[in-house]
Amino acid sequence: MAIRAYKKSLNKFKKTKSINDHIALTEENIKRDLELNFYHQENAINQPFNITKLHNALSGCKSKSPEKAYDMIWRNRVLKIIQEFDINGKMFIFLQNFLKNRTIQVKAHNELSNTYLTENGLPQGSVIRIPKPIKHLLFSDDCHIYCSGQNIKTTMEILQQALNILQNWSNMTRKVNVSVSKTVRKTENLKLFLNNSEIPFCKSLRILGMIFDNKLNWTQHLKKLKSSCKMKMNIMKTLSHHTWGADTKSLLNIYKSLIMSRLNYGSIVYSTAKENLLKILDPLHNEGIRISIGAFRTSPIDIILCYAGELTLKLQREKDILIYGIKRKSTPNQTFKIHTSVKNKITFQKFPPWLWKIQLNTELTQYNKHETNPTIIISHFKEIIQNKYSSFLQIYTDASKSQHGTGFAIIKDETNILHKLPQENSIFTAENYALLETIRYINITSSNNNILTRSPSTPKPLLEKRNNPKHPNRTIFYRKKYRIYVGLSHIGISGNEIADKSADIVTKTILRSTITDIPAKDINKSVRNKINMTWQSYWDSISPSNKLKKIKRCTKKWHYLQNLNKRQEVTLTRVRIGHSFLTHSFLISKDPPPICSKCQEDLTIQYIILDCPDLQNIRSTLSIPNNLEEALHEDNTIQILNFLTKINIVNNL
């Protein structure tokens, strides 16, 4: 019978691991439709049906991007390929009806959004149910189940019960074929069975790309990570040719995409490994940065990282851990306990964003305040207020940030609302809080008000109608209209001038913060600044004799000129670092240090740039400064390149 052949084919579809084969994984109501339309009719299909053809047709629909195939595959293409394989009749009609008129709704706090038709994507299968206290991780076609307990016998029975339920579900539905050969257990003194076969013990287990060994020392994972990154490093070496290779900025982006992303993945977990074990990744990071900037092989590691403006892997891991901890701490209903002064700053909106009713006027943003006469802007502003909002009361808001702190002011006639925020808060956060407090004030008094703000970036996220937990104004818009007016300048507008002065006074006169909440985004910025200060402190502690420190005292990344070729970029890098093939190749070849053929002095970058008397006339002609820091500074790039080209040593560096 057709339905039996169809059911038998389900396991075949799953075994191919084609994402688009999930078209065959339907819910129980689809199974009932199949039985009604096919099983109880003798002539269910108009023509002979070949299940292999359907399998081949669906295999032809495979996407090259698996992570997007679930949502983005074009259904018409699926149906077209199915027809090309001569699959017609009621089977084709069933598949066609199965895919069309699919809808989606979003539910938030018992409020449903409008219904929308989905144009792309394929329906997916059911969720695997596992009894408590079993916990599970399910990603794609990989499932990990685990359980903790004090009695190993009881724990083993609970795990075995879960495996039996999983196997019975697989046998009854035939939706997923559980692979016994790929199933392993992590605990040695447990005996578990799947499909009457004992599950083998494995000392290491790979979960979402992380290799968990039996001692949790991450030795296997770090060694595997090192070998995989070494293979990717060959791409960097190929693209970094000194004549026709990619520019420095592109190579750094490629390194961060291919290798750095792998090193950062899971770093907050494997950072618990011993320090000596973590150091096996440092050479990969150092080599990737060195290849990207074109530094010579003998260049010191600290100089390479400082010149590129990149952190060490240790500092990068510390930054990732702190940012992750702040993210978890600022998430509502979190179970991750962390000892920190950071409070829970995020409270999700009470009502869905599609119920918001906000009117935003941005007519003045068409003017460039730096190029437009202020009289024109003021005239247009008064015209809009008179013609559209004459019956409304005007409320003006402004924010200010200085070395004393951050604050904002709300001005309405004789009413002044002033607040000071912690120093860590950004000006954007202060403007958001100003808008938040203004709408709270309107809710208490009257809704017949206009809110005037000078920042167009503050109210615009409110119109995106999405759940943005980083926006502090997401909890108050519900079944009430608000008119927010965006201006460009406070000059000539009395309300804006008063708000601007009041916000500036707040930061200087109010000693303590009246609002102590700090968004996670601003805390993350403080974390990055702290990590950068740690890296800067280490750079300051290095001996002043360091070649790069003589010209670069800050770890901040230098800018790269856009019109330089690869050879010029490599030349600049090696001259500024002080290590080049001309001056330091003897360290590799074990030859004597090079000397100047005319002066018989040691040949160094500083000697070539400043001291060689034979090159004094060329220095004077090109106005090369007598100080090494000024001569090799990023502002003097063109002059130093002309000098090195004039003395004909560019290709020797």
Side-chain angles (χ1 to χ4, degrees), residues 415-428:
T415 303
N416 295 346
I417 302 176
L418 308 177
H419 285 284
K420 186 175 182 179
L421 304 174
Q423 178 68 30
E424 292 79 8
N425 281 358
S426 64
I427 188 69
F428 177 77

Side-chain angles (χ1 to χ4, degrees), residues 382-603:
K382 293 180 178 180
E383 179 183 348
I384 294 173
I385 295 297
Q386 183 177 0
N387 296 338
K388 296 183 179 181
Y389 311 117
S390 58
S391 61
F392 286 74
L393 297 176
Q394 315 304 326
I395 302 179
Y396 299 87
T397 69
D398 202 356
S400 177
K401 183 177 177 64
S402 66
Q403 60 180 355
H404 304 288
T406 309
F408 66 87
I410 303 171
I411 306 298
K412 179 189 176 184
D413 297 334
E414 300 300 326
T415 303
N416 295 346
I417 302 176
L418 308 177
H419 285 284
K420 186 175 182 179
L421 304 174
Q423 178 68 30
E424 292 79 8
N425 281 358
S426 64
I427 188 69
F428 177 77
T429 301
E431 291 168 347
N432 274 280
Y433 273 115
L435 189 58
L436 171 66
E437 293 298 325
T438 303
I439 296 176
R440 284 176 175 170
Y441 174 77
I442 294 174
N443 288 339
I444 297 174
T445 57
S446 173
S447 61
N448 197 21
N449 291 271
N450 272 343
I451 305 173
L452 292 96
T453 177
R454 289 196 299 119
S455 174
S457 60
T458 304
K460 279 186 177 180
L462 301 176
L463 297 181
E464 296 179 359
K465 292 187 177 182
R466 64 184 181 183
N467 189 4
N468 186 359
K470 296 181 181 179
H471 206 288
N473 303 334
R474 62 206 163 276
T475 62
I476 52 180
F477 300 101
Y478 180 60
R479 306 185 189 281
K480 203 168 189 179
K481 292 185 178 180
Y482 298 89
R483 291 173 174 85
I484 303 175
Y485 187 85
V486 178
L488 289 177
S489 176
H490 60 272
I491 300 176
I493 302 175
S494 59
N496 273 345
E497 289 180 341
I498 297 173
D500 178 68
K501 293 179 181 178
S502 301
D504 185 59
I505 293 174
V506 165
T507 61
K508 300 176 182 177
T509 57
I510 300 180
L511 299 179
R512 294 185 178 181
S513 301
T514 56
I515 297 178
T516 58
D517 291 348
I518 307 176
K521 185 176 181 180
D522 292 341
I523 301 177
N524 291 343
K525 185 177 180 180
S526 299
V527 168
R528 294 186 180 93
N529 292 337
K530 181 64 176 178
I531 294 296
N532 291 334
M533 289 174 57
T534 303
W535 177 226
Q536 181 65 51
S537 300
Y538 173 76
W539 181 248
D540 293 339
S541 64
I542 294 179
S543 173
S545 61
N546 187 289
K547 295 181 176 61
L548 181 63
K549 193 174 182 180
K550 294 179 181 179
I551 62 172
K552 190 174 187 289
R553 304 184 184 276
C554 179
T555 57
K556 187 179 179 180
K557 183 183 299 184
W558 273 355
H559 298 288
Y560 301 103
L561 295 180
Q562 300 294 329
N563 56 349
L564 299 181
N565 58 43
K566 182 60 179 178
R567 173 57 67 179
Q568 290 174 327
E569 289 183 343
V570 171
T571 300
L572 280 175
T573 298
R574 297 186 175 186
V575 166
R576 286 169 174 167
I577 288 178
H579 283 245
S580 66
F581 180 82
L582 179 64
T583 58
H584 287 80
S585 61
F586 72 94
L587 296 175
I588 300 175
S589 62
K590 306 300 181 181
D591 295 330
I595 59 175
C596 179
S597 59
K598 296 182 180 180
C599 309
Q600 300 301 314
E601 296 288 342
D602 290 339
L603 193 61

Side-chain angles (χ1 to χ4, degrees), residues 268 319-329 336 524:
I268 59 176
K319 183 184 73 172
D320 293 341
I321 292 173
L322 289 173
I323 291 178
Y324 177 76
I326 292 169
K327 178 181 177 182
R328 292 298 303 268
K329 189 65 178 178
F336 179 69
N524 291 343

Side-chain angles (χ1 to χ4, degrees), residues 334-347:
Q334 55 87 22
T335 58
F336 179 69
K337 302 300 180 183
I338 178 173
H339 297 284
T340 176
S341 59
V342 180
K343 297 180 180 179
N344 189 354
K345 302 303 180 300
I346 295 179
T347 54

Side-chain angles (χ1 to χ4, degrees), residues 87-109:
I87 299 175
N88 295 301
K90 289 190 175 181
M91 174 57 73
F92 178 79
I93 295 175
F94 163 74
L95 295 174
Q96 189 179 37
N97 293 335
F98 176 65
L99 292 177
K100 72 180 181 180
N101 297 330
R102 289 280 174 174
T103 60
I104 186 173
Q105 278 184 291
V106 179
K107 185 178 181 180
H109 296 284

